[in-house]
Amino acid sequence: MKILVTGGTGYIGSHTAVELQNSGHEVVIVDNLSNSDNNVLNGIEKISGIRPEFEEFDLSDQAKTADFFKRHNDIEGIIHFAAHKAVGESVEKPLMYYRNNIFSLVNILQGMKDNEIENLVFSSSCTVYGQPEQLPVTENAPVQKAESPYGNTKQISEEIISDTVKSTKIKGIALRYFNPIGAHESAIIGELPIGVPNNLMPFITQTAIGKREFLRVFGDDYNTPDGTAIRDYIHVVDLAKAHVVAVERMVNDKMKKDFEVFNLGTGKGYSVLEVIKSFERSTGQKLNYQIVGRRPGDVEKVWADTQFANEELGWKAEKGIDEMTLSAWEWEKALE
Ligand code: UFG
């Protein structure tokens, strides 16, 4: 199948492009390289032996997106990753987030409608649950008012897709990611944060390698066993494989509804201190860290109920926390 991967030079997109090609699919990548590098195409080629077709443009540009779809109306499925994703930045620049994340989705859906492309997999986030009342959190848990414009773009996007499937032939699957970390086992592709990382894993690896002085652990007074916040970390390669399964489910007419939502996590929660311990154990590195105050907007604890994804998609995350932290370290070392 010919699959369009938007944001395919980004962190999750690049790992998904590799898994799609490894499964025999033809990949076309569109990316504006606003937060990635076209060297990633070399990495994808090196790992999978195939260089994906690539076009550099901004999907929030309606004319360019319409022109792209006219020339590529043989695409069977789309996996839409391209989006801004920094929570703090979205608070500073809400319009940039709404323009980029919402316009691009609308342009893609229009292109799909005009060219009879029916299958869309969308990158969503567990951020839509806020702090859930019940854990593990299922797909049926109520969506809570977003804490940031970034989170709101994910909620609005799910609604746009859910509305669109009602009056078109388009079908949608929203994949709600928990916390993707780690890198491809080859250490040829991985996460490339620009500037000071916001997320835990790249901050840990950059501290261990000496780019940062110490890790700040945000809060040890949460209602958790060791007082630090709990997340469901998932290996990016496991996550990438779920996208292949999801797009095949759509194209092969296996969907039960025209808009489906799946949690993508491992079902296990780890505290910040447990992630640090895993990193130290798997890599043999000692990590310099200090406990500081809570980070505003952080939830206390969240992990996924994975039963629906496991049963319906026939997919299960396989890699454990030590494999995740070690692969992140191997990637950090390869960047030197
Ligand atoms: N953390 C630290 N120190 C750091 C960075 C993070 O202690 O320097 C802690 C956070 O407080 C949190 C945990 O590590 O408890 C994970 O933080 P991340 O920033 O890695 O991830 P978040 O769970 O905050 O955010 C992720 C995605 C967002 C998404 C959100 C949904 O990065 O895109 O999940 O919950 F919106």
Side-chain angles (χ1 to χ4, degrees):
M1 290 190 295
K2 191 166 181 175
I3 310 292
L4 167 63
V5 180
T6 77
T9 55
Y11 174 42
I12 307 173
S14 58
H15 289 82
T16 301
V18 164
E19 295 305 321
L20 284 165
Q21 293 194 150
N22 286 348
S23 304
H25 300 300
E26 188 181 340
V27 173
V28 185
I29 289 177
V30 171
D31 203 303
N32 66 0
L33 303 181
S34 67
N35 194 24
S36 59
D37 194 306
N38 65 1
N39 276 332
V40 172
L41 297 167
N42 300 333
I44 296 170
E45 182 177 6
K46 214 166 170 186
I47 296 169
S48 58
I50 303 161
R51 192 175 187 83
E53 190 182 331
F54 173 64
E55 288 203 20
E56 180 183 343
F57 69 90
D58 194 328
L59 290 152
S60 64
D61 182 322
Q62 191 181 356
K64 284 185 184 156
T65 306
D67 172 67
F68 170 85
F69 278 111
K70 235 184 253 161
R71 290 182 287 106
H72 289 86
N73 59 9
D74 57 339
I75 285 170
E76 285 181 78
I78 300 174
I79 307 181
H80 178 40
F81 294 104
H84 293 319
K85 60 170 187 179
V87 175
E89 183 185 53
S90 79
V91 176
E92 302 295 320
K93 300 175 182 169
L95 295 179
M96 182 174 111
Y97 270 67
Y98 287 114
R99 177 175 297 112
N100 187 61
N101 294 8
I102 304 298
F103 286 19
S104 59
L105 174 65
V106 172
N107 291 341
I108 288 167
L109 288 166
Q110 187 69 53
M112 293 176 73
K113 181 166 180 279
D114 294 345
N115 294 281
E116 295 177 357
I117 300 167
E118 294 178 2
N119 306 302
L120 177 70
V121 177
F122 175 68
S123 282
S124 191
S125 168
C126 71
T127 194
V128 303
Y129 299 121
Q131 176 59 65
E133 277 179 19
Q134 282 182 1
L135 289 168
V137 63
T138 73
E139 290 82 353
N140 298 322
V143 166
Q144 296 197 31
K145 186 169 166 35
E147 285 266 359
S148 68
Y150 159 76
N152 208 21
T153 67
K154 293 296 173 192
Q155 296 187 5
I156 295 169
S157 294
E158 285 195 7
E159 286 170 6
I160 291 172
I161 298 167
S162 146
D163 286 342
T164 305
V165 303
K166 290 176 190 150
S167 65
T168 63
K169 286 188 177 164
I170 296 171
K171 293 168 287 169
I173 292 184
L175 299 177
R176 292 179 176 162
Y177 312 153
F178 284 66
N179 286 55
I181 60 170
H184 193 266
E185 61 178 3
S186 64
I188 293 173
I189 56 171
E191 190 172 6
L192 265 179
I194 293 175
V196 183
N198 292 306
N199 296 117
L200 179 63
M201 200 63 236
F203 210 104
I204 289 178
T205 58
Q206 289 194 7
T207 304
I209 211 149
K211 287 185 191 159
R212 313 275 158 214
E213 205 185 333
F214 62 91
L215 170 77
R216 285 171 192 79
V217 174
F218 297 132
D220 69 348
D221 56 351
Y222 286 107
N223 182 24
T224 61
D226 66 23
T228 64
I230 295 178
R231 298 287 182 277
D232 184 338
Y233 297 91
I234 174 168
H235 197 297
V236 67
V237 171
D238 278 331
L239 192 72
K241 287 179 178 166
H243 291 75
V244 179
V245 176
V247 79
E248 288 176 347
R249 172 181 177 86
M250 303 189 94
V251 174
N252 296 329
D253 261 340
K254 301 251 175 67
M255 291 175 74
K256 304 259 164 76
K257 289 189 296 187
D258 288 343
F259 179 57
E260 294 180 330
V261 174
F262 296 99
N263 282 343
L264 297 185
T266 65
K268 287 196 203 78
Y270 289 94
S271 72
V272 178
L273 290 179
E274 285 174 326
V275 175
I276 294 172
K277 274 186 211 134
S278 162
F279 177 80
E280 292 187 333
R281 185 167 60 230
S282 69
T283 67
Q285 298 291 314
K286 189 98 192 75
L287 192 77
N288 204 3
Y289 69 89
Q290 285 179 21
I291 310 283
V292 300
R294 293 184 180 191
R295 183 171 67 176
D298 272 348
V299 301
E300 182 168 84
K301 49 190 166 192
V302 62
W303 60 93
D305 187 316
T306 62
Q307 192 186 349
F308 186 57
N310 296 163
E311 287 176 4
E312 268 303 313
L313 292 178
W315 161 92
K316 199 172 187 334
E318 285 167 358
K319 295 175 192 288
I321 190 76
D322 287 3
E323 220 173 325
M324 299 182 213
T325 54
L326 178 60
S327 69
W329 177 236
E330 295 298 339
W331 164 245
E332 183 69 58
K333 286 193 293 179
L335 278 174
E336 280 283 280

